[in-house]
Amino acid sequence: MPSYKAPVTDQMFVLHDVLKIAETDIPGYEDLDRDTTAAILDEAAKLAENVLAPLNPVGDTEGCKLENGVVRTPKGFLEAFDQMREGGWTALDCDPEYGGQGLPYVVATAVGEQFSAANMAFNMYPGLTHGAYSAIHAHGSDEQKATFLPKMVTCEWTGTMNLTEPHCGTDLGLMRTKAVPQDDGSYKITGQKIFISAGDHDMSENVIHLVLAKIPGGPEGIKGVSLFIVPKFLVNADGSLGARNAVSVGKIEEKMGIHGNSTCVMNYDEATGYLIGEAHKGMRAMFTMMNEARLGVGLQGYAQADVAFQNALEYAKDRLQGRDVTGTKNPDGPADPLIVHPDIRRNLMDQKSFVEGARAFVYWGAQMIDRAHKKNDADADGLISLLTPVIKGFLTDRGFECATNAQQVYGGHGYIEEWGMSQFARDARIAMIYEGANGVQALDLVGRKLAQDGGKHVMAFFDMVKTFIAENKGQDDEFDAAFLEPLKAASKDLQTAGMYFMAEGMKNPNNALSGSYDFMHLFGHVCLGLMWSRMALAAKAKLAEGGGDTAFYETKIATGRYYMARSLPMTATHLSRIQSGADTVMALDAANF
Amino acid sequence: MPSYKAPVTDQMFVLHDVLKIAETDIPGYEDLDRDTTAAILDEAAKLAENVLAPLNPVGDTEGCKLENGVVRTPKGFLEAFDQMREGGWTALDCDPEYGGQGLPYVVATAVGEQFSAANMAFNMYPGLTHGAYSAIHAHGSDEQKATFLPKMVTCEWTGTMNLTEPHCGTDLGLMRTKAVPQDDGSYKITGQKIFISAGDHDMSENVIHLVLAKIPGGPEGIKGVSLFIVPKFLVNADGSLGARNAVSVGKIEEKMGIHGNSTCVMNYDEATGYLIGEAHKGMRAMFTMMNEARLGVGLQGYAQADVAFQNALEYAKDRLQGRDVTGTKNPDGPADPLIVHPDIRRNLMDQKSFVEGARAFVYWGAQMIDRAHKKNDADADGLISLLTPVIKGFLTDRGFECATNAQQVYGGHGYIEEWGMSQFARDARIAMIYEGANGVQALDLVGRKLAQDGGKHVMAFFDMVKTFIAENKGQDDEFDAAFLEPLKAASKDLQTAGMYFMAEGMKNPNNALSGSYDFMHLFGHVCLGLMWSRMALAAKAKLAEGGGDTAFYETKIATGRYYMARSLPMTATHLSRIQSGADTVMALDAANF
């Protein structure tokens, strides 16, 4: 059975030594001294390691069942959810006005990583609730907030997001679900929504559905979409639960993974709903929380890679197979452990260097979100908007790849469900699809984010990398050669690609769009190259200080060197592909494929 | 529900226009005129498309069940197996002396592709039988051949290969299964074998297990391993079935995929076995059929990619979502089909160009195996031995990747089992693991095959590429620029990597082994680049001839251009990684990971 160990030491390093959260001028960060952060992460780790992780294979094996209209979650999920609620873990970064603890989002992100790594399917129940909370918090009326938020902060009521319909996922303008206005100001919602994660279950008193629907007579397409609150049970004026609303579960989907989460077809049959924000502005309401939601999915990608890596590493240390070609390492045993073999190490180092780089990238992104929200910093908001599709697309693609590679370390046992490695890969697979499939992320990046505000944010990114290199070079030849030079080369590839898009995309947008996926990955490598350079710098500083965990800092630098030497060269291939343009991509008639 | 269409047109093109099998001097090829090949492939296609493919999701959903010691296969499998047997499909390339049809292996390979694409789990039953047939045919006594082969050619009796034990897979020297000699010349086999595909089932009268075991007192390690025939039912002198042997199914494994195949734990409890070939030479007996077995797994990799691609393509043509940014393509519909979008095309072209290149590569390899076997051609044998780990490792890695990418085209539906795309990815996953995990293939390539016979075969490969380029350049600037120049550059990267291994591997073998995986992929890209160049040349010739399927040949060239422009640049990154050596790979102590 696989296990999970929360990476608190590394989380602390990223938060306090790299991002230096305790020294940042973002409101709310002033309380984050090392002891406070460590106490939170250590306490979260107990829940993640001892409660959520052991339930992960249970959720996978049992799955969710629809019995007489009621969704039954796997054995032990309710008790675990109660522990999570009682521990206040669902309220970490929520608004104190509604019962939240008001901690920075970056801390909630670090905790969320632990929970998601330990049990991705489980953590989607509070995760979706948090998304619905954020939408109501940002766009709901005071009355709506007062009615729904306190119960959602505690997860006594959970939440869902209802966007997709059978015939439309990405293209929500095709939506058919209708919202007919009633005399009392409410709406009657009718339609079918699919792929509704945590759509229904037996772990909360009420489920608060956020539903996108069209008000008849409104604008055509995406501009006619509005957002509604549709509670499973209507809420009386005194806050008590009232009548059952006309929303029901059509079925639970059989999926490749995340079996512990109930992915429902939801049927709305003149269900009572309440408009959030303005009519026809539903997409805008959804978009305001998209950075956060997509960052959360990018987090899922590397979190699954991390737990898979941890188990692959243990297996590689334990499993005796073959001998080190440079000399026996375990002369008293029948064979050497797998980890002596260079190709096993190559695989493990790929995983390790990705996971740690991704962690820094996501926490940095979370810090930007805090800066944008808590300081109304438009530059931070612009930069995180630019980087969001990279975080989502790159980290989930590579996260799945790493989980698959971790499975490979187990040989045949990796394919047997009992050993647990298959689940990590199967669960990680969804992150590439939901919350906007990765191809859509690439389109968002190249088709929208690059040119946003006149290209200001991507220029700011390049300036930041340039400044970082200029400020740090010339002090340590080894650091320059191992980190700054590859970072500079990769960043140059990214700029060249961007210039190619500007020049050739003008002539034909397909020249840019044909390279969008490669650009997203190219950008991801540059970001991880930047994070590794920052981490190596921080580790060097700690080593210079002396007295700390020397092995940890040296390992950090060595892992960074691996990423720079072995992963960053990928930017050259991405650039070549991008520069080959649209000709070969668009050459065939659809009929000739 | 997904479907499968056998790619007969493309198979015919590769066999007759590229490999020109009808014009080859290999014994047995002289009967392969176009009509004969087409008749075989068309007939096979009926079985693949109409019988095997519809059973594919059935096998996945039902799986195999162990009931009171008896393995039950999914509903419909027995009837399908009967149709396969009655059609003579299991005997295609078998020895006529034992009831086979004596057709070239290359034809059996093309048929095998269809069956494997249609239903990988099902096709493993005859596939494993063929492997066991080959081992007995190559190394068994005349009596053993007479007793077992006729029934195995018809698949009245099926076969298995028993290598792995719980504590050893790759390192078979650690094996514990014992074979104790008996006075009558037989052996008593005792031990446990795991991951035995088609280990037991209800579709044949008998199961002939080939079992690796150690005869007590023999040499230590891998040199003390012998190969035995252990029938489920002993065979009487008259060929009738006798007593049940002491071999039983311990359990059926729950796996990530290929649920339709029974992957068994087999327990041998003083089971009667018969030595094949010489004592302690079991590994040599296994190795002689390894090229064929591993080529068969490489085939599985691209075959799953093909069926996944076919379905993704249909979905991309049907599913309406979004609008072409360069102008609406479906003005009367609510949206344009997915296939108008550049990134969807990029994904589809990646799949298509891989599958078609891989097909040519595998058929070329099968032709080499025919040449090696039927003409005792040592050069062909050397070259296919060199290329076997590339075929197995590269094609299964990329095949899984393509199946995963095909799944991505479906968006959320790709994750729902009902749509069938998940199965293709889950099934394809095993091909990277069994028959030697891909890391072991890379080790075999770099640690053994490169230097085999003084490096003669890899030099022959480079000469072949060089000659091909020299012979074909200067006749068509477009062809030179689109095909020969990228092929030359990629081949140069491969040579540079080879030279790096020679120079640096001398100093420290880890410098070579740390780059083995990248080298395997680099080599694979060069091979596919060569195949695409050969295919483009053949298509150009057909276009020049005139009168044929112009769209097919033009599409072929366009698809080749895509591969050369978009996939071959990957060789540069592989080379960079290889040249970064072992330092960053081996830097960490195991304890510091």
Side-chain angles (χ1 to χ4, degrees):
Chain A
M1 182 145 112
S3 65
Y4 174 65
K5 182 88 182 63
V8 175
T9 306
D10 199 50
Q11 294 187 305
M12 288 294 293
F13 171 74
V14 174
L15 292 171
H16 282 279
D17 298 319
V18 182
L19 301 176
K20 297 183 186 297
I21 56 169
E23 302 160 33
T24 318
D25 63 347
I26 303 170
Y29 276 47
E30 60 277 3
D31 301 330
L32 292 176
D33 58 80
R34 272 179 197 269
D35 288 348
T36 304
T37 319
I40 294 169
L41 294 179
D42 283 336
E43 201 59 35
K46 290 179 196 163
L47 185 63
E49 295 171 1
N50 305 327
V51 179
L52 302 185
L55 281 178
N56 195 43
V58 176
D60 188 56
T61 311
E62 286 191 21
C64 295
K65 289 180 184 60
L66 182 61
E67 291 173 358
N68 304 319
V70 178
V71 174
R72 301 290 176 203
T73 51
K75 199 170 161 185
F77 269 42
L78 173 60
E79 292 74 12
F81 210 171
D82 283 340
Q83 279 188 258
M84 185 179 266
R85 287 185 274 236
E86 283 157 22
W89 295 108
T90 64
L92 280 185
D93 62 328
C94 294
D95 189 343
E97 195 176 334
Y98 303 103
Q101 298 176 37
L103 281 165
Y105 177 59
V106 74
V107 174
T109 300
V111 170
E113 178 196 319
Q114 294 186 6
F115 294 165
S116 189
N119 197 325
M120 178 168 160
F122 178 91
N123 201 48
M124 291 169 65
Y125 295 100
L128 268 298
T129 307
H130 194 280
Y133 155 87
S134 298
I136 297 174
H137 189 263
H139 301 282
S141 66
D142 288 343
E143 192 193 335
Q144 288 170 340
K145 291 193 215 181
T147 305
F148 296 104
L149 294 190
K151 296 280 194 182
M152 293 175 79
V153 165
T154 57
C155 273
E156 285 166 276
W157 299 352
T158 61
T160 72
M161 312 296 287
N162 290 241
L163 288 76
T164 306
E165 298 182 7
H167 62 289
C168 72
T170 301
D171 191 353
L172 289 170
L174 303 176
M175 187 174 293
R176 291 179 192 146
T177 298
K178 293 269 174 293
V180 179
Q182 305 298 304
D183 291 342
D184 66 353
S186 72
Y187 291 78
K188 291 286 182 208
I189 313 286
T190 302
Q192 187 178 68
K193 294 287 181 177
I194 64 170
F195 305 155
I196 308 310
S197 298
D200 195 40
H201 55 86
D202 52 4
M203 299 191 291
S204 68
E205 296 167 6
N206 204 357
V207 181
I208 311 305
H209 301 288
L210 294 201
V211 182
L212 287 177
K214 286 183 172 178
I215 302 169
E220 286 288 300
I222 198 73
K223 290 182 178 139
V225 169
S226 306
L227 183 62
F228 299 88
I229 299 175
V230 184
K232 176 177 173 182
F233 291 98
L234 298 176
V235 181
N236 297 323
D238 64 354
S240 64
L241 295 185
R244 184 73 159 78
N245 205 349
V247 47
S248 60
V249 180
K251 71 165 174 170
I252 298 185
E253 304 284 4
E254 295 289 337
K255 310 183 296 291
M256 186 177 182
I258 51 166
H259 295 153
N261 201 276
S262 57
T263 305
C264 299
V265 172
M266 300 300 304
N267 293 322
Y268 295 87
D269 186 16
E270 301 206 328
T272 298
Y274 311 102
L275 180 68
I276 304 184
E278 289 177 59
H280 317 314
K281 305 286 188 194
M283 289 311 291
R284 205 173 58 180
M286 296 301 292
F287 268 104
T288 53
M289 51 182 179
M290 203 159 272
N291 289 345
E292 209 177 301
R294 290 180 170 179
L295 183 134
V297 177
L299 177 148
Q300 291 179 327
Y302 82 80
Q304 285 307 297
D306 187 23
V307 65
F309 163 68
Q310 291 185 17
N311 286 280
L313 174 62
E314 288 311 308
Y315 191 80
K317 288 180 184 174
D318 286 349
R319 175 84 170 174
L320 304 180
Q321 207 81 174
R323 289 293 186 188
D324 187 335
V325 292
T326 63
T328 296
K329 290 289 182 294
N330 179 31
D332 299 335
D336 288 340
L338 285 180
I339 201 166
V340 305
H341 301 299
D343 188 63
I344 294 285
R345 276 180 176 261
R346 184 239 0 124
N347 186 349
L348 292 172
M349 290 299 293
D350 275 345
Q351 298 170 47
K352 179 177 172 67
S353 64
F354 165 71
V355 168
E356 294 178 14
R359 175 175 298 129
F361 188 18
V362 165
Y363 293 4
W364 180 47
Q367 193 182 29
M368 272 185 255
I369 289 177
D370 277 332
R371 188 179 295 280
H373 289 179
K374 292 175 191 291
K375 292 195 62 138
N376 281 316
D377 183 327
D379 290 339
D381 192 55
L383 187 56
I384 189 58
S385 293
L386 172 73
L387 295 179
T388 291
V390 180
I391 290 173
K392 199 281 184 182
F394 179 68
L395 298 190
T396 59
D397 277 358
R398 294 280 298 123
F400 172 68
E401 196 183 339
C402 284
T404 301
N405 291 346
Q407 189 186 12
Q408 191 75 8
V409 174
Y410 279 67
H413 299 95
Y415 200 66
I416 309 296
E417 292 295 351
E418 184 184 350
W419 290 74
M421 299 305 284
S422 162
Q423 186 189 354
F424 298 136
R426 289 186 289 99
D427 286 0
R429 182 68 185 86
I430 189 58
M432 297 156 71
I433 299 173
Y434 62 19
E435 200 57 40
N438 286 356
V440 175
Q441 301 298 327
L443 179 65
D444 177 47
L445 175 64
V446 170
R448 183 164 21 194
K449 298 294 177 62
L450 273 189
Q452 211 165 42
D453 299 327
K456 181 181 161 190
H457 308 298
V458 72
M459 295 313 297
F461 178 83
F462 288 130
D463 280 347
M464 186 181 52
V465 174
K466 203 172 151 187
T467 306
F468 173 83
I469 293 171
E471 284 177 355
N472 292 293
K473 79 175 172 193
Q475 293 155 36
D476 174 347
D477 288 351
E478 272 190 33
F479 178 74
D480 289 1
F483 289 92
L484 296 185
E485 283 170 25
L487 176 61
K488 192 175 171 183
S491 174
K492 193 179 161 219
D493 285 343
L494 185 65
Q495 289 192 54
T496 307
M499 283 185 293
Y500 175 86
F501 286 162
M502 274 197 284
E504 300 300 321
M506 291 290 192
K507 297 176 196 162
N508 181 349
N510 286 346
N511 279 326
L513 298 180
S514 295
S516 59
Y517 212 87
D518 280 287
F519 189 81
M520 180 172 76
H521 275 252
L522 205 176
F523 212 148
H525 280 294
V526 173
C527 290
L528 257 61
L530 175 64
M531 299 325 294
W532 271 115
S533 301
R534 290 181 62 177
M535 288 196 283
L537 214 54
K540 267 160 49 79
K542 297 300 282 187
L543 284 171
E545 251 176 45
D549 184 348
T550 308
F552 175 85
Y553 300 119
E554 286 174 349
T555 297
K556 186 58 75 174
I557 294 169
T559 307
R561 289 171 64 100
Y562 181 93
Y563 194 87
M564 305 309 280
R566 289 251 164 188
S567 289
L568 268 204
M570 193 62 205
T571 60
T573 293
H574 288 306
L575 178 60
S576 289
R577 286 180 186 157
I578 288 165
Q579 289 178 323
S580 75
D583 287 355
T584 61
V585 176
M586 306 303 290
L588 300 187
D589 281 344
N592 289 340
F593 258 84
Chain B
M1 181 145 111
S3 65
Y4 174 66
K5 182 89 182 63
V8 176
T9 306
D10 199 51
Q11 294 186 305
M12 288 295 292
F13 171 74
V14 173
L15 292 171
H16 282 280
D17 298 318
V18 183
L19 301 176
K20 299 182 185 299
I21 56 169
E23 302 160 35
T24 318
D25 63 349
I26 303 170
Y29 276 47
E30 61 277 2
D31 301 329
L32 292 177
D33 58 80
R34 273 180 196 270
D35 288 348
T36 305
T37 319
I40 294 169
L41 294 179
D42 283 336
E43 201 60 34
K46 290 179 196 163
L47 185 64
E49 294 170 1
N50 305 327
V51 179
L52 301 186
L55 281 178
N56 195 45
V58 176
D60 188 55
T61 311
E62 287 192 21
C64 295
K65 288 179 185 60
L66 181 60
E67 290 173 358
N68 303 320
V70 179
V71 174
R72 302 289 175 204
T73 50
K75 202 171 161 184
F77 268 42
L78 172 61
E79 294 73 13
F81 209 172
D82 283 340
Q83 280 187 259
M84 185 178 265
R85 286 185 276 236
E86 283 156 19
W89 295 109
T90 63
L92 280 185
D93 62 329
C94 294
D95 188 343
E97 196 176 333
Y98 304 103
Q101 298 176 39
L103 280 165
Y105 177 58
V106 74
V107 174
T109 300
V111 170
E113 179 196 320
Q114 293 186 6
F115 295 166
S116 187
N119 197 324
M120 177 168 161
F122 178 91
N123 201 48
M124 290 170 66
Y125 294 101
L128 268 297
T129 308
H130 195 279
Y133 155 89
S134 298
I136 298 174
H137 190 263
H139 301 281
S141 67
D142 288 342
E143 191 194 334
Q144 287 170 342
K145 291 193 215 181
T147 304
F148 295 103
L149 294 190
K151 296 282 193 180
M152 293 176 78
V153 165
T154 57
C155 272
E156 287 165 276
W157 299 353
T158 60
T160 72
M161 311 295 287
N162 290 240
L163 288 76
T164 306
E165 299 182 7
H167 61 289
C168 72
T170 301
D171 191 352
L172 289 171
L174 303 176
M175 184 174 293
R176 289 180 194 148
T177 299
K178 292 270 172 296
V180 179
Q182 304 299 304
D183 291 343
D184 64 355
S186 72
Y187 291 76
K188 291 289 182 207
I189 314 285
T190 302
Q192 187 177 69
K193 294 288 181 177
I194 63 170
F195 304 158
I196 308 309
S197 298
D200 195 41
H201 56 85
D202 52 3
M203 299 192 293
S204 67
E205 296 167 3
N206 204 358
V207 180
I208 311 305
H209 302 287
L210 294 200
V211 182
L212 287 177
K214 285 184 172 176
I215 301 170
E220 285 290 300
I222 198 73
K223 291 183 176 137
V225 169
S226 306
L227 183 62
F228 298 89
I229 300 175
V230 184
K232 177 177 173 181
F233 290 99
L234 299 176
V235 182
N236 297 322
D238 64 356
S240 63
L241 295 184
R244 184 73 157 79
N245 206 351
V247 46
S248 60
V249 180
K251 71 165 175 171
I252 298 184
E253 304 283 3
E254 295 289 338
K255 309 182 298 289
M256 185 179 184
I258 51 166
H259 295 154
N261 200 276
S262 56
T263 305
C264 298
V265 172
M266 300 301 301
N267 293 322
Y268 295 88
D269 186 15
E270 302 206 327
T272 299
Y274 312 103
L275 180 68
I276 305 183
E278 289 177 58
H280 317 314
K281 304 288 187 191
M283 289 310 292
R284 204 172 60 183
M286 296 301 293
F287 268 103
T288 54
M289 52 184 178
M290 204 159 273
N291 288 345
E292 209 178 300
R294 290 182 170 178
L295 183 134
V297 177
L299 178 148
Q300 291 179 326
Y302 83 80
Q304 286 307 297
D306 187 23
V307 65
F309 163 68
Q310 290 185 17
N311 286 281
L313 175 62
E314 287 313 306
Y315 190 80
K317 288 178 182 173
D318 286 349
R319 174 83 170 176
L320 305 179
Q321 207 80 179
R323 291 292 187 188
D324 186 335
V325 292
T326 64
T328 295
K329 291 289 181 297
N330 179 32
D332 299 335
D336 289 340
L338 284 180
I339 201 167
V340 305
H341 302 299
D343 188 63
I344 294 286
R345 276 180 176 259
R346 185 239 359 126
N347 186 350
L348 292 172
M349 290 299 292
D350 275 345
Q351 297 171 47
K352 180 178 171 68
S353 64
F354 165 71
V355 167
E356 294 179 13
R359 175 175 297 129
F361 188 19
V362 165
Y363 293 5
W364 181 47
Q367 193 182 29
M368 271 185 254
I369 289 177
D370 277 331
R371 189 179 294 279
H373 288 178
K374 292 174 192 288
K375 293 194 63 143
N376 280 316
D377 185 327
D379 289 340
D381 191 55
L383 187 56
I384 189 60
S385 293
L386 172 72
L387 295 178
T388 292
V390 181
I391 290 174
K392 197 282 182 181
F394 178 67
L395 298 190
T396 59
D397 277 358
R398 294 280 298 123
F400 172 69
E401 195 183 338
C402 284
T404 302
N405 291 346
Q407 188 185 14
Q408 191 74 9
V409 173
Y410 278 66
H413 299 95
Y415 201 67
I416 308 297
E417 292 294 351
E418 185 184 351
W419 290 74
M421 300 304 284
S422 162
Q423 187 189 353
F424 299 136
R426 289 185 290 100
D427 286 1
R429 181 68 185 87
I430 188 59
M432 296 156 71
I433 298 174
Y434 62 19
E435 202 57 41
N438 286 358
V440 175
Q441 302 298 327
L443 180 65
D444 178 45
L445 175 64
V446 171
R448 184 164 21 195
K449 298 294 176 61
L450 272 189
Q452 211 163 43
D453 299 327
K456 182 180 163 190
H457 308 298
V458 72
M459 295 313 297
F461 178 84
F462 288 129
D463 278 349
M464 186 182 54
V465 174
K466 202 172 153 187
T467 306
F468 173 83
I469 293 171
E471 283 177 357
N472 292 293
K473 78 174 172 193
Q475 292 155 39
D476 174 346
D477 288 349
E478 274 191 32
F479 178 75
D480 289 1
F483 290 91
L484 297 183
E485 283 170 25
L487 176 61
K488 192 176 170 183
S491 174
K492 195 179 158 219
D493 285 343
L494 186 65
Q495 289 190 54
T496 307
M499 283 186 293
Y500 176 86
F501 287 163
M502 274 197 285
E504 301 299 321
M506 291 288 190
K507 296 177 198 160
N508 181 350
N510 286 345
N511 278 326
L513 298 180
S514 295
S516 59
Y517 213 88
D518 280 286
F519 189 81
M520 179 173 75
H521 276 251
L522 205 176
F523 211 148
H525 279 295
V526 173
C527 290
L528 257 61
L530 175 64
M531 299 325 294
W532 270 116
S533 300
R534 290 181 63 177
M535 288 196 281
L537 214 54
K540 267 160 51 76
K542 298 299 282 187
L543 285 170
E545 252 175 45
D549 184 348
T550 308
F552 174 84
Y553 300 120
E554 286 173 349
T555 297
K556 186 58 76 175
I557 294 168
T559 307
R561 290 171 62 98
Y562 181 92
Y563 193 87
M564 304 309 280
R566 288 251 165 190
S567 288
L568 268 204
M570 192 62 205
T571 61
T573 293
H574 288 306
L575 178 59
S576 290
R577 286 180 184 157
I578 287 165
Q579 290 178 324
S580 75
D583 287 354
T584 61
V585 176
M586 305 303 289
L588 300 188
D589 280 344
N592 289 339
F593 259 84

